[in-house]
Amino acid sequence: MDRVKQIVADIKNGIPKPVYFLMGDEPYYIDKISQYVADHVLTEDEKGFNQMVLYGRDTSVDEVVANAKRFPMMSQYQVVIVKEAQHLSRTIENFITYVDNPQPTTILVICYKYKKLDKRKKLYKAIQKSGELFESKKLYENQVSEWIRRTLSGKKYKIAPKAAMLLVEFLGADLSKIANELDKLAIVVPPEKEITPDLIEKHIGISKDFNNFELKKAIGERNVGKATRIINYFSQNPKDNPFVVTITLLNTFFTQLLQYHGLKDHSPGNVAKVLGVNPYFVNEFTVAAKNYPMKRVSAVISSLRQLDLKGKGVGASNVQQASLLKELLIEII
């Protein structure tokens, strides 16, 4: 995120690079940078003659280079943006001749989503020397909550840890989807106000009471009544609460709980650091550790793996989600 800010700042300050090669598994930042170039380098009057968007599926490296070598008309720069450049992967190394000697009045942006250049090849090294090589890495789900917090902080908002986790559960690690939902919240929630689970439920439609994180907490507390109510809700709404998501989250929780048992230092700061969780959730492990000794945790993990296989049709077929959820609760509690 800091690297993105620096790239944007350089463009804003009038010191753009001649080539931007944007690659990696997370399309969000690739789109953000290319869109910033498209919106801010040229004025609206200049864009008509000096800004071009090409698509990798419909063009070639030679055609891109031919356009990049043109001179701008009544403008300091021309902008050439190549979207979906991953479709040029077989010939991508042919950009080397242009990158070695780029047109100084052209800003060439290559959006190479879901792929990466080979670091051993000449093109990788050439772009590092004369342009900007940016790799947009996919965030792990345990990193997305912090990304949400930082993104909202930049917009003068705060978010409760549980609210951030609800977004992650509902939307996964797709930053583009999350950003869209955050933009919706920003329309209806005034700045400086904390975004809570209630606001998430009201404006996005994610239940603050019937979700996997509440199920995990109920199981950790051995609160059979609450866990049963949540499972019944999941059974009635299977499309919104897929079994694979539930069992994956619970497997992660009990694996972390096993790690917790193995720690000598159970201070909140150390637990949060070792388990990779927000300090807000450390108490859940403290409570669960009292209810599930290490030997029991190992047995639960084994049961979860067997249920995961059954849910995927291994050793069983056409098992209803409601039956799997009930069996899950019985096996754990």
Side-chain angles (χ1 to χ4, degrees):
M1 198 169 184
D2 292 337
R3 179 82 180 281
V4 175
K5 289 180 179 178
Q6 185 59 56
I7 292 172
V8 169
D10 288 343
I11 296 170
K12 187 176 181 180
N13 292 329
I15 47 175
K17 298 290 180 64
V19 178
Y20 289 89
F21 198 98
L22 315 175
M23 64 182 188
D25 295 323
E26 177 49 69
Y28 177 77
Y29 287 118
I30 294 175
D31 290 337
K32 278 290 184 182
I33 294 171
S34 62
Q35 193 60 50
Y36 188 86
V37 172
D39 291 344
H40 294 89
V41 171
L42 303 178
T43 66
E44 290 301 319
D45 290 337
E46 292 171 335
K47 288 178 184 178
F49 291 104
N50 298 291
Q51 186 155 297
M52 177 177 293
V53 177
L54 301 170
Y55 290 85
R57 191 185 295 274
D58 304 318
T59 190
S60 65
V61 171
D62 289 343
E63 185 179 350
V64 173
V65 169
N67 281 286
K69 285 183 176 180
R70 291 190 302 114
F71 289 97
M73 295 180 61
M74 296 176 289
S75 173
Q76 183 180 2
Y77 295 109
Q78 74 152 341
V79 172
V80 178
I81 299 173
V82 186
K83 296 187 176 183
E84 300 175 6
Q86 63 270 18
H87 293 294
L88 298 172
S89 59
R90 292 184 180 179
T91 56
I92 200 72
E93 290 293 323
N94 292 346
F95 274 116
I96 184 66
T97 54
Y98 178 81
V99 173
D100 278 339
N101 186 29
Q103 174 67 266
T105 55
T106 293
I107 298 172
L108 174 62
V109 183
I110 302 173
C111 303
Y112 201 63
K113 293 181 180 179
Y114 314 113
K115 288 183 177 290
K116 294 184 286 186
L117 288 179
D118 189 334
K119 295 181 180 181
R120 300 167 297 180
K121 297 293 182 69
K122 291 181 179 179
L123 181 60
Y124 184 94
K125 297 174 182 177
I127 295 172
Q128 282 187 315
K129 183 177 179 180
S130 63
E132 183 72 52
L133 185 63
F134 173 76
E135 182 178 351
S136 186
K137 297 180 179 180
K138 198 81 172 176
L139 295 183
Y140 295 109
E141 285 203 359
N142 63 357
Q143 298 174 308
V144 179
S145 291
E146 176 61 16
W147 180 87
I148 292 172
R149 187 196 66 77
R150 291 182 63 185
T151 299
L152 287 172
S153 178
K155 300 178 180 181
K156 309 300 181 185
Y157 285 92
K158 294 180 181 179
I159 186 168
K162 183 181 174 182
M165 293 301 288
L166 285 176
L167 286 172
V168 176
E169 183 202 352
F170 191 68
L171 301 169
D174 190 324
L175 300 189
S176 296
K177 287 184 179 179
I178 293 172
N180 286 338
E181 297 301 334
L182 295 182
D183 288 342
K184 293 177 186 176
L185 285 171
I187 295 172
V188 294
V189 180
E192 309 296 341
K193 184 174 181 179
E194 185 178 59
I195 295 172
T196 63
D198 286 331
L199 290 172
I200 295 290
E201 181 174 46
K202 180 179 179 180
H203 297 295
I204 298 181
I206 307 171
S207 174
K208 65 181 178 62
D209 297 316
F210 298 99
N211 58 74
N212 283 307
F213 291 100
E214 286 300 315
L215 176 62
K216 177 190 69 175
K217 185 178 179 182
I219 287 174
E221 296 171 348
R222 295 186 75 87
N223 187 333
V224 179
K226 182 177 179 181
T228 301
R229 287 193 296 273
I230 295 172
I231 279 180
N232 288 338
Y233 178 85
F234 284 4
S235 299
Q236 295 165 10
N237 301 275
K239 290 185 179 180
D240 294 330
N241 303 278
F243 181 73
V244 65
V245 174
T246 299
I247 202 159
T248 299
L249 185 141
L250 289 175
N251 184 67
T252 299
F253 175 68
F254 278 98
T255 301
Q256 290 172 322
L257 188 57
L258 196 63
Q259 289 180 279
Y260 179 93
H261 276 299
L263 294 175
K264 293 182 179 179
D265 180 2
H266 287 110
S267 63
N270 185 63
V271 172
K273 180 180 178 181
V274 174
L275 301 189
V277 299
N278 189 301
Y280 176 86
F281 297 103
V282 168
N283 188 58
E284 290 185 14
F285 292 95
T286 304
V287 172
K290 295 176 182 178
N291 292 321
Y292 299 89
M294 182 179 283
K295 188 175 181 180
R296 179 60 190 151
V297 173
S298 297
V300 168
I301 292 173
S302 178
S303 296
L304 289 174
R305 289 175 179 170
Q306 292 301 316
L307 280 169
D308 181 44
L309 291 174
K310 185 180 287 189
K312 293 173 180 174
V314 179
S317 60
N318 299 321
V319 181
Q320 295 296 315
Q321 178 164 311
S323 298
L324 288 169
L325 288 168
K326 288 177 183 177
E327 186 175 349
L328 180 149
L329 197 57
I330 292 169
E331 291 288 344
I332 296 177
I333 298 183

